[in-house]
Amino acid sequence: MDRFSFNQITAKLWDLPDLVAGCVEAGVDKVALWREPVAEYGLDRSARLIRDAGLAVTTLCRSGFFQLPGWYDDNRRAIDEAVALDTSVLVLVSGGLPEGSRDIAGARQHVADAIGQLAPYAAGAGVTLAIEPLHPMYAADRCVINTWDQAMAIAEQHPAGQVGVTVDTYHLWWDDTVLEKIAGAGERIAIYQLADWITPLPAGVLTGRGLPGDGCVDMRAFHEAVDKAGYTGPIEVEVMNADLWERPGREVLGATLTAYRSVF
């Protein structure tokens, strides 16, 4: 339990002050934050609230979306926000194809080039860029980086402390080669996130995640692979599920803790 981190999106409708109070009450000392609710509450207020409660921020989610105009300035702001929140890991979702484009190879090269432009600024700020490969069904509109190999090929162009990869069970479970590769990834693992794959997928697919143990992902196999890699950092539970979001925040946190314990 000393590695457990509650990802803010898991209780999407829980406002930040109540989330912080609920975590403190439950003995949870780590949270992962999202940029949008932090901006809504105010960056400085959020940082002060978290600090005064004695919580650690394991990651800031999310930046990237390199197909959009203004990506460079927005990603620099995200790095600055991570510094303000005293977290050293910024999760990157690369973004999909530019509007009207079918050039997925070009889009992937653009992601690599964009991260190359951002990496020196992130390194100067002490922030690791954590590339997150998303399931291939998101390739067109959300993330053209879809496999562990694609993410690692970009990360390995930079020192391990500057650019790493996110291990998210929901996005990687289908790949029959990934566990061995994760086990050999060493310092490249920037953060480890848990969510289960449940079917049938809902319309839009974004909210098709389940709590660990509710679906078909072999969580223990992932944990063994991450452990072999030498990763000893936080383990976030990051679930996007419309039914879960309708429940009170404290109830969601309780269910998340129960699920987390069940797979370890």
Side-chain angles (χ1 to χ4, degrees):
M1 285 305 303
D2 60 340
R3 299 172 66 185
F4 172 79
S5 176
F6 186 65
N7 192 294
Q8 186 175 23
I9 201 68
T10 306
K12 183 180 180 180
L13 302 183
W14 210 8
D15 64 33
L16 187 58
D18 287 341
L19 182 149
V20 169
C23 285
V24 170
E25 181 182 294
V28 173
D29 62 359
K30 299 176 185 64
V31 293
L33 299 179
W34 279 61
R35 294 181 68 197
E36 294 84 357
V38 165
E40 182 178 344
Y41 189 71
L43 177 61
D44 291 340
R45 288 179 72 202
S46 298
R48 186 166 55 252
L49 178 68
I50 295 289
R51 182 176 59 250
D52 290 349
L55 300 182
V57 180
T58 53
T59 61
L60 179 62
C61 300
R62 54 195 161 71
S63 192
F65 292 94
F66 299 116
Q67 87 280 19
L68 298 178
W71 64 263
Y72 181 75
D73 290 340
D74 184 63
N75 278 272
R76 294 248 310 202
R77 283 193 295 271
I79 293 166
D80 294 340
E81 291 163 14
V83 172
L85 294 166
D86 197 24
T87 182
S88 61
V89 180
L90 175 65
V91 176
L92 295 185
V93 174
S94 70
L97 293 170
E99 185 175 358
S101 174
R102 295 182 175 87
D103 183 8
I104 195 167
R108 287 171 175 150
Q109 183 58 54
H110 173 62
V111 171
D113 294 343
I115 290 173
Q117 293 181 54
L118 290 169
Y121 186 77
V127 173
T128 299
L129 303 177
I131 305 169
E132 182 169 11
L134 266 59
H135 190 280
M137 67 181 173
Y138 296 105
D141 62 344
R142 189 160 296 269
C143 188
V144 295
I145 303 302
N146 308 114
T147 68
W148 181 264
D149 288 345
Q150 289 166 358
M152 282 290 285
I154 298 172
E156 288 177 340
Q157 298 175 34
H158 309 276
Q162 292 183 19
V163 183
V165 180
T166 300
V167 175
D168 187 319
T169 58
Y170 176 80
H171 291 299
L172 297 172
W173 76 275
W174 58 274
D175 185 344
D176 65 343
T177 70
V178 78
L179 293 177
E180 182 178 356
K181 292 170 181 175
I182 289 171
E187 294 178 296
R188 288 293 170 184
I189 299 176
I191 188 64
Y192 176 29
Q193 297 178 331
L194 305 182
D196 220 329
W197 183 280
I198 55 176
T199 53
L201 294 175
V205 304
L206 279 176
T207 57
R209 300 182 181 210
L211 289 171
D214 284 352
C216 59
V217 178
D218 187 345
M219 297 290 173
R220 292 188 182 276
F222 268 93
H223 187 62
E224 289 172 3
V226 169
D227 192 50
K228 287 179 182 176
Y231 178 80
T232 58
I235 304 172
E236 296 179 0
V237 178
E238 183 194 55
V239 176
M240 302 174 194
N241 184 289
D243 292 336
L244 199 63
W245 289 343
E246 292 181 357
R247 297 164 64 180
R250 279 178 170 78
E251 187 177 309
V252 174
L253 176 58
T256 303
L257 286 166
T258 298
Y260 178 85
R261 293 186 182 103
S262 74
V263 299
F264 294 111

